[in-house]
PDB file of all heavy atoms in Angstrom:
ATOM      1  N   ALA A  26     -16.002 -17.437  -1.468  1.00  0.00           N
ATOM      2  CA  ALA A  26     -15.313 -16.175  -1.357  1.00  0.00           C
ATOM      3  C   ALA A  26     -14.363 -16.002  -2.364  1.00  0.00           C
ATOM      4  O   ALA A  26     -13.648 -16.874  -2.982  1.00  0.00           O
ATOM      5  CB  ALA A  26     -14.553 -16.124   0.070  1.00  0.00           C
ATOM      6  N   HIS A  27     -14.310 -14.757  -2.856  1.00  0.00           N
ATOM      7  CA  HIS A  27     -13.378 -14.301  -3.897  1.00  0.00           C
ATOM      8  C   HIS A  27     -12.041 -13.745  -3.395  1.00  0.00           C
ATOM      9  O   HIS A  27     -12.084 -12.747  -2.658  1.00  0.00           O
ATOM     10  CB  HIS A  27     -14.037 -13.377  -4.906  1.00  0.00           C
ATOM     11  CG  HIS A  27     -15.251 -13.948  -5.627  1.00  0.00           C
ATOM     12  ND1 HIS A  27     -16.407 -14.185  -5.056  1.00  0.00           N
ATOM     13  CD2 HIS A  27     -15.330 -14.310  -6.976  1.00  0.00           C
ATOM     14  CE1 HIS A  27     -17.292 -14.696  -5.869  1.00  0.00           C
ATOM     15  NE2 HIS A  27     -16.509 -14.902  -6.985  1.00  0.00           N
ATOM     16  N   ILE A  28     -10.970 -14.390  -3.775  1.00  0.00           N
ATOM     17  CA  ILE A  28      -9.710 -13.927  -3.312  1.00  0.00           C
ATOM     18  C   ILE A  28      -8.852 -13.244  -4.509  1.00  0.00           C
ATOM     19  O   ILE A  28      -8.846 -13.847  -5.546  1.00  0.00           O
ATOM     20  CB  ILE A  28      -8.805 -14.997  -2.700  1.00  0.00           C
ATOM     21  CG1 ILE A  28      -9.561 -15.438  -1.423  1.00  0.00           C
ATOM     22  CG2 ILE A  28      -7.406 -14.513  -2.298  1.00  0.00           C
ATOM     23  CD1 ILE A  28      -8.772 -16.597  -0.710  1.00  0.00           C
ATOM     24  N   LEU A  29      -8.459 -12.111  -4.350  1.00  0.00           N
ATOM     25  CA  LEU A  29      -7.498 -11.440  -5.373  1.00  0.00           C
ATOM     26  C   LEU A  29      -6.186 -11.530  -4.766  1.00  0.00           C
ATOM     27  O   LEU A  29      -5.778 -11.027  -3.832  1.00  0.00           O
ATOM     28  CB  LEU A  29      -7.942  -9.899  -5.542  1.00  0.00           C
ATOM     29  CG  LEU A  29      -7.001  -9.121  -6.509  1.00  0.00           C
ATOM     30  CD1 LEU A  29      -6.952  -9.716  -7.852  1.00  0.00           C
ATOM     31  CD2 LEU A  29      -7.503  -7.788  -6.578  1.00  0.00           C
ATOM     32  N   MET A  30      -5.327 -12.323  -5.607  1.00  0.00           N
ATOM     33  CA  MET A  30      -3.955 -12.565  -5.237  1.00  0.00           C
ATOM     34  C   MET A  30      -3.204 -11.577  -6.096  1.00  0.00           C
ATOM     35  O   MET A  30      -3.096 -11.647  -7.252  1.00  0.00           O
ATOM     36  CB  MET A  30      -3.664 -14.011  -5.526  1.00  0.00           C
ATOM     37  CG  MET A  30      -2.149 -14.315  -5.114  1.00  0.00           C
ATOM     38  SD  MET A  30      -1.714 -15.948  -5.744  1.00  0.00           S
ATOM     39  CE  MET A  30      -3.005 -16.941  -5.154  1.00  0.00           C
ATOM     40  N   LEU A  41      -0.047 -21.549  -5.136  1.00  0.00           N
ATOM     41  CA  LEU A  41      -0.904 -20.990  -4.182  1.00  0.00           C
ATOM     42  C   LEU A  41      -2.339 -20.812  -4.511  1.00  0.00           C
ATOM     43  O   LEU A  41      -3.370 -21.153  -3.967  1.00  0.00           O
ATOM     44  CB  LEU A  41      -0.390 -19.589  -3.674  1.00  0.00           C
ATOM     45  CG  LEU A  41      -0.959 -18.994  -2.371  1.00  0.00           C
ATOM     46  CD1 LEU A  41      -0.873 -19.964  -1.241  1.00  0.00           C
ATOM     47  CD2 LEU A  41      -0.251 -17.721  -1.985  1.00  0.00           C
ATOM     48  N   ALA A  42      -2.386 -20.403  -5.857  1.00  0.00           N
ATOM     49  CA  ALA A  42      -3.732 -20.315  -6.437  1.00  0.00           C
ATOM     50  C   ALA A  42      -4.411 -21.650  -6.594  1.00  0.00           C
ATOM     51  O   ALA A  42      -5.651 -21.751  -6.247  1.00  0.00           O
ATOM     52  CB  ALA A  42      -3.674 -19.653  -7.856  1.00  0.00           C
ATOM     53  N   ARG A  43      -3.690 -22.687  -6.894  1.00  0.00           N
ATOM     54  CA  ARG A  43      -4.219 -24.054  -6.980  1.00  0.00           C
ATOM     55  C   ARG A  43      -4.660 -24.488  -5.604  1.00  0.00           C
ATOM     56  O   ARG A  43      -5.709 -25.125  -5.430  1.00  0.00           O
ATOM     57  CB  ARG A  43      -3.189 -25.033  -7.566  1.00  0.00           C
ATOM     58  CG  ARG A  43      -3.039 -24.955  -9.092  1.00  0.00           C
ATOM     59  CD  ARG A  43      -2.247 -26.263  -9.638  1.00  0.00           C
ATOM     60  NE  ARG A  43      -0.989 -26.351  -9.050  1.00  0.00           N
ATOM     61  CZ  ARG A  43       0.059 -25.628  -9.663  1.00  0.00           C
ATOM     62  NH1 ARG A  43      -0.060 -24.966 -10.741  1.00  0.00           N
ATOM     63  NH2 ARG A  43       1.228 -25.778  -9.140  1.00  0.00           N
ATOM     64  N   LEU A  45      -5.464 -22.688  -2.955  1.00  0.00           N
ATOM     65  CA  LEU A  45      -6.645 -22.012  -2.528  1.00  0.00           C
ATOM     66  C   LEU A  45      -7.934 -22.414  -3.292  1.00  0.00           C
ATOM     67  O   LEU A  45      -9.088 -22.504  -2.719  1.00  0.00           O
ATOM     68  CB  LEU A  45      -6.484 -20.564  -2.603  1.00  0.00           C
ATOM     69  CG  LEU A  45      -5.401 -19.899  -1.729  1.00  0.00           C
ATOM     70  CD1 LEU A  45      -5.040 -18.455  -2.063  1.00  0.00           C
ATOM     71  CD2 LEU A  45      -5.966 -19.900  -0.263  1.00  0.00           C
ATOM     72  N   GLY A  46      -7.694 -22.812  -4.652  1.00  0.00           N
ATOM     73  CA  GLY A  46      -8.954 -23.191  -5.353  1.00  0.00           C
ATOM     74  C   GLY A  46      -9.388 -24.522  -4.830  1.00  0.00           C
ATOM     75  O   GLY A  46     -10.586 -24.677  -4.780  1.00  0.00           O
ATOM     76  N   TYR A  50     -12.086 -21.526  -2.747  1.00  0.00           N
ATOM     77  CA  TYR A  50     -12.042 -20.130  -3.110  1.00  0.00           C
ATOM     78  C   TYR A  50     -12.035 -19.934  -4.499  1.00  0.00           C
ATOM     79  O   TYR A  50     -11.471 -20.803  -5.292  1.00  0.00           O
ATOM     80  CB  TYR A  50     -10.826 -19.493  -2.368  1.00  0.00           C
ATOM     81  CG  TYR A  50     -10.916 -19.514  -0.899  1.00  0.00           C
ATOM     82  CD1 TYR A  50     -10.013 -20.352  -0.268  1.00  0.00           C
ATOM     83  CD2 TYR A  50     -11.747 -18.759  -0.207  1.00  0.00           C
ATOM     84  CE1 TYR A  50      -9.965 -20.351   1.185  1.00  0.00           C
ATOM     85  CE2 TYR A  50     -11.844 -18.813   1.168  1.00  0.00           C
ATOM     86  CZ  TYR A  50     -10.876 -19.618   1.899  1.00  0.00           C
ATOM     87  OH  TYR A  50     -10.930 -19.713   3.266  1.00  0.00           O
ATOM     88  N   GLU A  51     -12.668 -18.787  -4.872  1.00  0.00           N
ATOM     89  CA  GLU A  51     -12.443 -18.316  -6.396  1.00  0.00           C
ATOM     90  C   GLU A  51     -11.249 -17.426  -6.305  1.00  0.00           C
ATOM     91  O   GLU A  51     -11.183 -16.391  -5.443  1.00  0.00           O
ATOM     92  CB  GLU A  51     -13.669 -17.608  -6.688  1.00  0.00           C
ATOM     93  CG  GLU A  51     -14.882 -18.356  -6.945  1.00  0.00           C
ATOM     94  CD  GLU A  51     -14.811 -19.129  -8.237  1.00  0.00           C
ATOM     95  OE1 GLU A  51     -14.179 -18.681  -9.189  1.00  0.00           O
ATOM     96  OE2 GLU A  51     -15.413 -20.267  -8.338  1.00  0.00           O
ATOM     97  N   ILE A  52     -10.351 -17.727  -7.192  1.00  0.00           N
ATOM     98  CA  ILE A  52      -9.082 -16.886  -7.210  1.00  0.00           C
ATOM     99  C   ILE A  52      -8.941 -16.168  -8.455  1.00  0.00           C
ATOM    100  O   ILE A  52      -9.065 -16.610  -9.594  1.00  0.00           O
ATOM    101  CB  ILE A  52      -7.846 -17.871  -7.203  1.00  0.00           C
ATOM    102  CG1 ILE A  52      -8.022 -18.801  -6.006  1.00  0.00           C
ATOM    103  CG2 ILE A  52      -6.529 -17.053  -6.976  1.00  0.00           C
ATOM    104  CD1 ILE A  52      -8.041 -18.266  -4.677  1.00  0.00           C
ATOM    105  N   ALA A  53      -8.640 -14.810  -8.285  1.00  0.00           N
ATOM    106  CA  ALA A  53      -8.137 -13.996  -9.504  1.00  0.00           C
ATOM    107  C   ALA A  53      -6.747 -13.576  -9.177  1.00  0.00           C
ATOM    108  O   ALA A  53      -6.390 -13.392  -8.023  1.00  0.00           O
ATOM    109  CB  ALA A  53      -9.198 -12.798  -9.571  1.00  0.00           C
ATOM    110  N   ARG A  54      -6.062 -13.368 -10.150  1.00  0.00           N
ATOM    111  CA  ARG A  54      -4.590 -13.010  -9.869  1.00  0.00           C
ATOM    112  C   ARG A  54      -4.254 -11.684 -10.669  1.00  0.00           C
ATOM    113  O   ARG A  54      -4.613 -11.535 -11.823  1.00  0.00           O
ATOM    114  CB  ARG A  54      -3.702 -14.171 -10.270  1.00  0.00           C
ATOM    115  CG  ARG A  54      -2.345 -13.743 -10.001  1.00  0.00           C
ATOM    116  CD  ARG A  54      -1.209 -14.814 -10.488  1.00  0.00           C
ATOM    117  NE  ARG A  54       0.087 -14.267 -10.472  1.00  0.00           N
ATOM    118  CZ  ARG A  54       1.037 -14.748 -11.170  1.00  0.00           C
ATOM    119  NH1 ARG A  54       0.872 -15.808 -11.940  1.00  0.00           N
ATOM    120  NH2 ARG A  54       2.244 -14.178 -11.198  1.00  0.00           N
TER     121      ARG A  54
END
Side-chain angles (χ1 to χ4, degrees):
H27 292 75
I28 295 180
L29 173 59
M30 183 190 306
L41 194 52
R43 278 196 298 275
L45 290 168
Y50 295 107
E51 287 289 330
I52 311 298
R54 182 186 165 198

